[in-house]
Amino acid sequence: MGLLRQVFGPSKEEIWSQLSQELGADYEEGGFFKEGKVVLSHREWEITLDTYTVHTGKSTIIYTRMRAPYVNRDGFRFNIYRKNIFSGIGKLFGVKDIEVGDAFFDDEFIIQGEPEALVSRLLSNVEVRQLIQSQPDIHFQVKDDDGWFKSKFPEGVDELYFEVVGVIKDRERLKSLFDLFALVLDELCRFGSAYETDPNVILG
């Protein structure tokens, strides 16, 4: 184990456990049938960091993801990711790229969503933009909840969702992600797009 640590550095489990202690979050160890995860409570919401594996033929791809279910009051959606060589393909199929008026940010990222005015309002927050820019790789969006543990949340609950290929073991980067999620949830609540409500509570 000592040799492996010298070659590969600290394990994900070691780093994520330390991260949990620093954040005051819960760390749940993994096992044969589940991955370890970090769960941080922020107001009425839970922000969960974990990994998942996709098997495609002979290859295996590991993703790091972060999720936070919340009650989506008005169906707001956004999708933000760094530009790459394939970014222009979406425009060929009519996918609109929103610009928020920050030349550097607009040049670095593909920004999509609706209503467009609310996307622009969210990204008018300088700290939100800075936290997104601090991520060397990012796919950040609001999406339908994915049925955690094979059980769906009530209708009207969606997820604030992040994922990238690979295992993130940089504690500062992970702290920044938790900060981003907490800030965006707070902003959505302030705008009236999110209820400060436990998503496990069935909507009336």
Side-chain angles (χ1 to χ4, degrees):
M1 183 63 70
L3 179 58
L4 289 176
R5 196 178 193 282
Q6 290 178 23
V7 174
F8 297 106
S11 67
K12 182 197 81 173
E13 290 74 18
E14 182 179 350
I15 292 173
W16 285 22
S17 178
Q18 292 173 355
L19 174 70
S20 298
Q21 295 175 21
E22 293 174 12
L23 294 176
D26 294 324
Y27 177 66
E28 300 180 17
E29 294 185 358
F32 288 108
F33 301 105
K34 66 176 183 178
E35 298 288 345
K37 62 183 180 180
V38 178
V39 181
L40 176 69
S41 295
H42 176 68
R43 294 166 69 174
E44 293 298 320
W45 304 295
E46 284 193 347
I47 305 171
T48 300
L49 167 71
D50 65 1
T51 58
Y52 72 98
T53 302
V54 174
H55 301 281
T56 56
K58 295 182 179 179
S59 65
T60 299
I61 304 173
I62 300 176
Y63 292 84
T64 296
R65 67 182 169 185
M66 188 173 285
R67 298 173 288 171
Y70 73 97
V71 181
N72 192 339
R73 183 171 178 264
D74 54 10
F76 176 49
R77 291 283 190 278
F78 67 77
N79 187 23
I80 302 170
Y81 54 95
R82 286 192 178 275
K83 290 183 178 179
N84 55 47
I85 59 174
F86 301 107
S87 299
I89 295 176
K91 293 183 179 182
L92 295 177
F93 292 93
V95 179
K96 186 177 181 180
D97 181 14
I98 299 170
E99 294 188 350
V100 297
D102 179 324
F104 180 77
F105 194 88
D106 289 335
D107 189 57
E108 289 291 315
F109 293 94
I110 295 293
I111 307 160
Q112 300 160 346
E114 56 181 21
E116 183 176 332
L118 192 54
V119 178
S120 297
R121 185 178 178 187
L122 175 64
L123 294 176
S124 70
N125 185 311
V126 175
E127 188 177 358
V128 170
R129 297 201 307 273
Q130 289 175 339
L131 287 168
I132 291 173
Q133 288 172 318
S134 72
Q135 295 295 317
D137 188 16
I138 186 169
H139 186 188
F140 186 42
Q141 62 182 317
V142 173
K143 59 179 284 188
D144 290 338
D145 80 272
D146 57 4
W148 292 19
F149 312 113
K150 298 183 180 180
S151 62
K152 298 284 283 184
F153 282 104
E155 184 178 353
V157 174
D158 291 321
E159 289 180 316
L160 196 60
Y161 189 93
F162 161 93
E163 73 172 6
V164 293
V165 174
V167 178
I168 300 177
K169 297 197 294 182
D170 182 331
R171 288 207 308 275
E172 294 306 314
R173 182 181 177 189
L174 292 170
K175 287 179 186 177
S176 179
L177 272 174
F178 276 110
D179 287 343
L180 174 62
F181 268 63
L183 178 58
V184 169
L185 286 167
D186 287 344
E187 287 291 278
L188 293 180
C189 191
R190 186 169 66 87
F191 297 164
S193 287
Y195 286 115
E196 191 178 351
T197 304
D198 184 343
N200 290 286
V201 176
I202 295 179
L203 305 179

